Amino acid sequence: MDESINPNVKWSVYHERENHIDQTPSEIRNDLDYLKTWFAWHQAWAHIDGKPVIFVYNDSKGGCDVPRRWMQASNNEWYVVLKVFPDYK
């Protein structure tokens, strides 16, 4: 094991494309597959309940469609953290 890696430090990414365009679940899935293949397997990637964590910077106009698309794309394999939007309840 690499001695320079602190096992207590975890990281993830902040996916910002959702702030600019409404990605389809297929497009989101492609991004998640890429991240899982190249990065999320690493011990330093943050995991909650065994799932890799991803933060999503979504615009406030997407409403409930944004979580629906991300939940469909993640297929319950990712711990998705979305920005809260107006009228969230």
Side-chain angles (χ1 to χ4, degrees):
M1 181 174 175
D2 185 346
E3 298 297 325
S4 65
I5 296 175
N6 181 339
N8 297 319
V9 175
K10 303 296 179 187
W11 58 274
S12 182
V13 296
Y14 208 160
H15 193 285
E16 295 188 2
R17 189 173 298 157
E18 189 67 45
N19 191 43
H20 305 291
I21 61 170
D22 291 337
Q23 291 184 280
T24 66
S26 177
E27 291 170 323
I28 296 168
R29 185 67 192 181
N30 286 340
D31 288 349
L32 294 176
D33 286 345
Y34 177 85
L35 291 169
K36 198 170 205 177
T37 298
W38 293 102
F39 304 103
W41 58 267
H42 195 278
Q43 66 183 8
W45 190 283
H47 286 76
I48 295 177
D49 296 332
K51 300 175 188 177
V53 177
I54 186 165
F55 295 89
V56 180
Y57 188 85
N58 49 296
D59 68 15
S60 60
K61 300 173 199 141
C64 293
D65 184 52
V66 175
R68 272 195 222 81
R69 288 186 287 109
W70 276 85
M71 293 304 99
Q72 181 182 351
S74 70
N75 197 31
N76 203 31
E77 296 172 7
W78 285 77
Y79 193 93
V80 180
V81 182
L82 298 169
K83 185 178 106 177
V84 175
F85 53 89
D87 300 323
Y88 164 80
K89 294 183 171 66

